[in-house]
């Protein structure tokens, strides 16, 4: 499934950033998706539900913002 | 205490790093790498089979085949006397740059002029993944319909050339060739269009001639 591969990359970015910042528990991830990219937010949420079951992200919520264009990036993460 | 870490990090950044690495490696060897994208059944492999007799005496060619499963297509290319390496994604709907990097060692790149990558059959996802190629070609067949340019604009916008295959079926399918040309050029005015029949090789020579010109620019 396409979104599983994309979400794997997002989780890699998040885990790396959390480790660098000394964050042990990620509370929120914010992702921006361009509508022209054909990445479906619902499918990405489903992929996230499959991949989040790790100590750092077990209770994390994923917020997705859809915008016009082709952007696709991890905007920020929050945690402590 | 909760803190916010601002990232603004592109999700495709990881693939893009691999792609740039691939591109640099291919350029060092003056190698033209062609990423062929198209739906399952568009005729990508048959096109490659028809290209081999037209190119094999002029350039040194090899192929990377991408499929979810099986080695069917790699075997077909190998039967033409061309080195072919199969990548099976076992579920992924596209090849990515890291996959290409992982099989590059199977080729003697300095002994090649053209490396063709036949991507997994799909008009959507491969468009987003730079493999480090020099040119990108989309193969569409007349049996798929002329509306695909408007339905899947991204893949056509990012193509250097479009090969319209199965033109021998034009008398039997509802494909508005003029509307297709018009839609394509409206979307991407610089794209090259080649109308071919891979099964009887009609028009394939023009596409091969264009590839040879592109390969000449790499040296």
């Amino acid at each position: 499934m396409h979104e599983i591969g994309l979400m794997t990359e997002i989780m890699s970015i998040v885990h790396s950033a959390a480790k660098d910042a000394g964050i042990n528990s990620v509370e929120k991830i914010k992702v921006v998706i361009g509508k022209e990219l054909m990445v479906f937010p619902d499918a990405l949420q489903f992929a996230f539900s499959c991949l989040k079951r790790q100590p750092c992200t077990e209770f994390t919520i994923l917020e997705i913002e859809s915008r016009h264009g082709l952007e696709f990036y991890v905007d920020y993460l929050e945690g402590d | 205490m909760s803190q916010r870490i601002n990232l603004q990090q592109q999700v495709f950044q990881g693939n893009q790093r691999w792609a740039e690495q691939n591109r640099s490696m291919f350029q060092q060897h003056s190698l033209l790498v062609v990423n062929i994208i198209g739906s399952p059944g568009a005729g990508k492999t048959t096109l490659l089979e028809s290209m081999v007799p037209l190119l094999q005496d002029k350039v040194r060619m090899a192929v990377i085949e991408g499929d979810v499963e099986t080695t069917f297509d790699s075997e077909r290319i190998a039967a033409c006397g061309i080195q072919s390496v199969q990548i099976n994604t076992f579920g992924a709907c596209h090849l990515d740059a890291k996959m290409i990097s992982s099989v590059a060692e199977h080729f003697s790149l300095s002994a090649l002029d053209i490396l063709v990558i036949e991507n997994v059959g799909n008009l959507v996802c491969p468009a987003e993944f730079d493999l480090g190629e020099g040119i990108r070609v989309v193969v569409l067949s007349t049996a798929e319909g002329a509306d695909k340019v408007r339905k899947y604009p991204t893949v056509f916008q990012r193509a250097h050339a479009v090969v319209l295959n199965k033109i021998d079926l034009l008398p039997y399918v509802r494909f508005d060739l003029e509307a297709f040309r018009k839609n394509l050029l409206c979307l991407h005015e610089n794209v090259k269009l080649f109308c071919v029949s891979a099964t009887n090789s009609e028009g394939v020579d023009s596409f091969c001639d264009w590839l040879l010109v592109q390969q000449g620019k790499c040296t």
Side-chain angles (χ1 to χ4, degrees):
Chain A
M1 179 180 150
H2 183 59
E3 278 75 5
I4 289 277
L6 297 176
M7 198 64 223
T8 301
E9 187 65 27
I10 290 170
M11 296 303 277
S12 175
I13 291 169
V14 165
H15 281 285
S16 178
K19 185 179 173 189
D20 288 347
I23 290 176
N24 295 315
S25 178
V26 177
E27 293 162 6
K28 181 178 170 184
I29 303 167
K30 167 80 181 296
V31 171
V32 173
I33 303 177
K35 290 179 183 175
E36 291 164 37
L37 266 185
M38 296 198 183
V39 176
F40 297 103
D42 286 351
L44 204 63
Q45 282 285 5
F46 173 71
F48 176 62
S49 69
C50 298
L51 296 172
K52 66 182 282 189
R53 295 167 203 164
Q54 301 173 58
C56 182
T57 50
E58 193 177 349
F59 301 106
T60 308
I61 59 167
L62 173 65
E63 180 181 319
I64 297 173
E65 178 188 341
S66 290
R67 291 185 192 166
H68 286 292
L70 294 167
E71 294 267 42
F72 185 25
Y73 61 90
V74 181
D75 195 6
Y76 62 80
L77 65 92
E78 291 177 346
D80 61 28
Chain B
M1 174 119 174
S2 188
Q3 56 174 317
R4 176 179 288 194
I5 309 297
N6 291 310
L7 296 172
Q8 282 90 46
Q9 187 165 341
Q10 297 293 330
V11 175
F12 291 121
Q13 195 170 303
N15 182 77
Q16 204 51 45
R17 272 198 291 268
W18 283 102
E20 290 309 318
Q21 211 171 291
N22 291 344
R23 186 164 282 114
S24 179
M25 173 176 60
F26 297 143
Q27 283 172 350
Q28 277 171 24
H29 294 281
S30 300
L31 182 58
L32 175 68
V33 178
V34 185
N35 181 3
I36 295 190
I37 297 171
S39 299
K44 299 183 295 296
T45 312
T46 307
L47 177 65
L48 289 179
E49 288 173 317
S50 69
M51 286 162 58
V52 168
L54 298 172
L55 290 175
Q56 62 185 4
D57 292 335
K58 297 174 185 168
V59 289
R60 302 164 297 176
M61 182 178 157
V63 174
I64 296 173
E65 281 288 346
D67 279 296
V68 176
E69 294 197 34
T70 82
T71 56
F72 294 159
D73 287 353
S74 184
E75 291 165 20
R76 284 172 61 181
I77 299 303
C80 298
I82 298 294
Q83 184 190 8
S84 176
V85 172
Q86 181 80 55
I87 298 175
N88 286 139
T89 66
F90 298 112
C93 49
H94 56 266
L95 294 176
D96 64 33
K98 190 176 176 184
M99 293 176 189
I100 300 303
S101 181
S102 71
V103 298
E105 64 180 16
H106 292 284
F107 302 97
S108 177
L109 298 181
S110 58
L112 292 175
D113 301 306
I114 296 180
L115 178 62
V116 179
I117 303 169
E118 184 187 330
N119 217 311
V120 178
N122 188 335
L123 275 182
V124 180
C125 310
E128 304 299 343
F129 288 83
D130 185 356
L131 304 181
E133 71 269 24
I135 58 175
R136 192 176 273 198
V137 175
V138 175
V139 178
L140 182 79
S141 75
T142 57
E144 295 171 74
D147 57 355
K148 295 304 175 287
V149 173
R150 297 185 70 184
K151 285 187 173 181
Y152 302 92
T154 305
V155 72
F156 290 98
Q157 274 173 330
R158 297 179 182 183
H160 295 87
V162 172
V163 174
L164 178 65
N165 190 25
K166 306 188 186 180
I167 58 168
D168 50 315
L169 295 185
L170 278 174
Y172 313 107
V173 296
R174 285 200 296 188
F175 188 94
D176 186 337
L177 185 53
E178 280 319 301
F180 172 74
R181 267 189 225 271
K182 185 180 166 189
N183 287 335
L184 184 61
L185 292 174
C186 270
L187 187 70
H188 188 357
E189 62 180 23
N190 294 322
V191 73
K192 295 289 293 182
L193 174 62
F194 299 94
C195 298
V196 311
S197 166
T199 48
N200 67 28
S201 298
E202 182 184 350
V204 178
D205 55 343
S206 296
F207 177 57
C208 288
D209 287 344
W210 179 79
L211 279 179
L212 289 172
V213 169
Q214 306 315 305
Q215 192 277 325
K217 294 177 185 174
C218 294
T219 56

